[in-house]
Amino acid sequence: MANGRNISWSGYVSQRWVMAVMGMMGVMIAYVMRACLGITLTQMVRPVVMVDESVRSIRHEYCPMPHSSSNGNTKSNRTDITEDKYQNRFDWDEKTQGEILSSFYYGYILTHLPSGVLSQRFGGKHTMGLGILSTAVFTLMTPYVSYMGTRPLTILRFIEGLGEGTMFPALCTLLAQWAPPEEKGKLSTLVFAGVQIGNIFSNFLSGLIIQYIPGGWPNVFYIFGITSLIWFVLWCMFVYDDPSSHPFISKVERDYLKESIGSLERQKDLAPTPWITILTSWPVWALIIVEAGHDWGAYTIITDLPKYMNDVLHFSISENGLLSSFPYIAQWVTSILVSILADWLITKRIMSVTAVRKSFAVIGNVGPGIGVICASFVGCNKMLATLCFTLGLALMGFCYPSIRVNSLDLSHNYAPTIMALVNGIGCLSGMATPYIVGILTPNRTVLEWRLVFWIMMAVMTASSVVYGIYGSGELQPWDNLQQHCLKENEKSKRELPMNERLSIIYSKSIDD
């Protein structure tokens, strides 16, 4: 019991694992609120089945609608989509949908750095909690605002992004205070596994809600918004900024964390953030670049996989919700297994921290690119396409015990700031990909989507190469500038000639 692993508030529950589970649930509901619009749009917008005859004539570009008429009469197709059941849907083209999906990330990127500074100064609990609370309130407003038009909906999604931008910097602050080195991979992966679980629930539950609960797609936003409000109450009750401020933690667990991490209290008197040093650090920029590449692929899949399955493969809403969640289930399982493997490799000294971070990042970035390319080449085969997406995203799970925790490797004191930079700049991909997909896929053909997937693979592979060359898993010397300067001064003194060293010692003895 001396290791603190099973000591807790009630004697049975470890408070660092309570923080990790609540953090995972927070990430989960945040991603549910973020991603549910992707599948809900398939039921909010009128379907378009009429395409140019030149597109239809090219083999393997267009997947036929199930139970469609075989006479190819475009007039009857247009009549089909103007049936009464589609009259209440919105007439938004692909470009407009891309703008709505992108608007979230314009707000998301703006609050990363401010929230990193706030959580560093005041703690991560309320920084994250209030951000998710605001997102929940605006999620509840989404159905009403949607009927006001595309511009109000775009503004609403922008404001939702502002709230969610606080999440990862705040979690990074909490993990720095609660995660001992030998459990950093497992705790961090558990927290960030909320991304995959959120994507699973947003797709699977959204499809069930739309199909089986009277009222249709608005219920998606109502149910997820209310669930998020409940989480906020529990978060305020059970999570604390650091072990020293926790009223329920046992002395044994507190002592264990103090011994393993080195500090239990946030450094409120921390020196100002060394911006120039951080912004000129190659390991930091390597992490930023690989995160941007990873996010390009992740956001392409998160926002557009349901659209691909609906528009190209023509899954029904229930099939879409179920099969769109399969890749994320595989990714979640993989992330947990490889996080255990990563900690084992580091603990047994089989691989260095840097080697683990780099090799896992390459697998987690290149693998998904290969998977989506294969999916585009199997054409209209629904099951094979789903299998390719599932295998590709399963490999993306390797990114969680690598680039997701690398900010904590580089710096303990400034990890929130680094996380804010990394995740914030990475969000540029989230701003770009839905808009680019909307432009590149006007006819929703397999060939158009294949180009989207080739671009995705190229970006993810190139970013992995940069990280493989310049990335690092070692604590950087600027993490504690005062201690670093003392070490440098001692080093420089040792390198002085003997007569100068004796002179310094003599002068100090006189002063004393």
Side-chain angles (χ1 to χ4, degrees):
M1 301 293 278
N3 65 2
R5 296 191 179 195
N6 298 310
I7 303 301
S8 66
W9 165 42
S10 62
Y12 296 98
V13 181
S14 171
Q15 292 305 305
R16 62 186 180 277
W17 286 95
V18 170
M19 184 281 300
V21 171
M22 289 300 300
M24 179 270 291
M25 294 175 64
V27 175
M28 177 188 72
I29 63 170
Y31 267 76
V32 164
M33 293 188 290
R34 177 194 307 195
C36 65
L37 184 62
I39 190 168
T40 308
L41 270 177
T42 65
Q43 303 304 303
M44 294 170 64
V45 179
R46 294 183 181 184
V48 178
V49 297
M50 186 178 69
V51 296
D52 294 339
E53 291 301 322
S54 59
V55 176
R56 285 183 180 274
S57 63
I58 302 176
R59 190 178 181 185
H60 300 310
E61 283 197 12
Y62 180 80
C63 297
M65 290 285 290
H67 310 300
S68 61
S69 175
S70 60
N71 59 12
N73 191 320
T74 58
K75 182 177 180 180
S76 64
N77 286 336
R78 174 54 83 183
T79 302
D80 289 341
I81 66 167
T82 55
E83 291 179 314
D84 291 340
K85 64 180 181 179
Y86 296 138
Q87 288 302 310
N88 294 326
R89 296 195 184 188
F90 304 109
D91 192 16
W92 299 338
D93 60 18
E94 290 294 314
K95 182 180 179 181
T96 301
Q97 295 177 52
E99 291 173 350
I100 294 171
L101 292 170
S102 297
S103 60
F104 175 93
Y105 298 99
Y106 284 88
Y108 188 62
I109 192 175
L110 292 180
T111 48
H112 268 71
L113 280 178
S115 63
V117 174
L118 287 173
S119 60
Q120 208 166 268
R121 182 64 58 181
F122 301 107
K125 173 181 177 178
H126 294 300
T127 303
M128 176 176 172
L130 293 174
I132 301 299
L133 174 64
S134 66
T135 307
V137 172
F138 290 114
T139 296
L140 290 169
M141 297 171 56
T142 301
Y144 174 75
V145 175
S146 297
Y147 285 102
M148 296 172 62
T150 58
R151 187 57 56 195
L153 180 58
T154 300
I155 295 173
L156 180 74
R157 291 286 294 178
F158 172 83
I159 299 173
E160 285 185 34
L162 291 174
E164 277 200 27
T166 64
M167 180 173 60
F168 284 116
L171 282 172
C172 203
T173 303
L174 291 170
L175 286 168
Q177 298 298 319
W178 284 96
E182 66 270 21
E183 296 178 2
K184 187 189 299 181
K186 290 189 286 288
L187 285 167
S188 300
T189 299
L190 174 62
V191 170
F192 297 130
V195 174
Q196 302 101 309
I197 300 173
N199 289 323
I200 293 167
F201 283 169
S202 67
N203 289 309
F204 178 63
L205 294 182
S206 294
L208 295 180
I209 291 169
I210 292 171
Q211 184 164 12
Y212 295 110
I213 297 182
W217 62 264
N219 290 322
V220 172
F221 301 100
Y222 298 145
I223 291 174
F224 292 154
I226 292 172
T227 303
S228 301
L229 295 179
I230 296 172
W231 170 88
F232 174 73
V233 174
L234 297 176
W235 176 261
C236 292
M237 291 173 59
F238 296 116
V239 174
Y240 292 82
D241 285 317
D242 49 56
S244 64
S245 64
H246 201 300
F248 307 131
I249 191 172
S250 70
K251 183 180 184 300
V252 175
E253 185 177 16
R254 182 185 285 113
D255 291 344
Y256 167 67
L257 293 175
K258 183 176 182 178
E259 180 182 352
S260 59
I261 300 175
S263 173
L264 289 183
E265 192 172 1
R266 290 177 296 105
Q267 297 187 33
K268 300 179 180 66
D269 57 346
L270 192 64
T273 303
W275 287 107
I276 295 178
T277 306
I278 291 175
L279 292 175
T280 54
S281 170
W282 274 109
V284 171
W285 276 105
L287 180 58
I288 290 173
I289 290 171
V290 76
E291 179 70 30
H294 168 80
D295 286 352
W296 186 284
Y299 291 137
T300 298
I301 299 299
I302 289 171
T303 58
D304 293 303
L305 180 59
K307 287 169 60 61
Y308 182 85
M309 290 188 164
N310 180 79
D311 298 344
V312 177
L313 300 179
H314 307 305
F315 284 106
S316 67
I317 183 61
S318 58
E319 291 175 329
N320 197 342
L322 177 62
L323 296 177
S324 293
S325 65
F326 279 176
Y328 299 109
I329 295 173
Q331 186 182 7
W332 177 52
V333 173
T334 303
S335 67
I336 293 175
L337 294 178
V338 298
S339 70
I340 297 172
L341 174 61
D343 285 347
W344 181 78
L345 290 172
I346 293 171
T347 302
K348 297 296 183 180
R349 302 186 183 277
I350 297 173
M351 296 176 67
S352 67
V353 175
T354 299
V356 168
R357 303 299 187 235
K358 287 183 176 182
S359 58
F360 279 35
V362 171
I363 297 172
N365 264 9
V366 177
I370 297 174
V372 297
I373 290 295
C374 292
S376 71
F377 277 98
V378 300
C380 301
N381 189 316
K382 295 182 178 182
M383 292 301 103
L384 275 181
T386 302
L387 178 62
C388 291
F389 281 122
T390 301
L391 293 176
L393 261 70
L395 294 175
M396 194 177 280
F398 279 80
C399 289
Y400 286 83
S402 54
I403 63 177
R404 286 297 189 190
V405 300
N406 196 209
S407 296
L408 296 171
D409 296 325
L410 300 179
S411 172
H412 296 152
N413 293 321
Y414 304 106
T417 299
I418 298 173
M419 175 65 84
L421 281 170
V422 171
N423 211 52
I425 296 176
C427 289
L428 294 172
S429 300
M431 296 161 57
T433 53
Y435 185 72
I436 291 174
V437 170
I439 293 176
L440 294 179
T441 60
N443 297 306
R444 311 176 186 184
T445 66
V446 176
L447 190 60
E448 290 171 344
W449 276 94
R450 189 175 298 160
L451 176 60
V452 171
F453 294 147
W454 273 116
I455 294 173
M456 170 182 159
M457 182 177 180
V459 172
M460 297 182 79
T461 302
S463 66
S464 299
V465 172
V466 174
Y467 186 72
I469 297 173
Y470 298 106
S472 174
E474 303 301 322
L475 185 68
Q476 298 300 294
W478 41 261
D479 177 61
N480 190 327
L481 286 177
Q482 184 177 5
Q483 184 178 2
H484 177 60
C485 290
L486 289 174
K487 289 181 179 179
E488 289 297 313
N489 288 336
E490 291 297 325
K491 180 180 177 181
S492 62
K493 288 177 183 178
R494 289 195 298 268
E495 294 174 351
L496 290 174
M498 180 60 70
N499 59 339
E500 294 186 26
R501 290 168 61 187
L502 292 173
S503 176
I504 293 174
I505 295 172
Y506 178 73
S507 298
K508 290 182 67 177
S509 64
I510 294 177
D511 293 338
D512 294 339

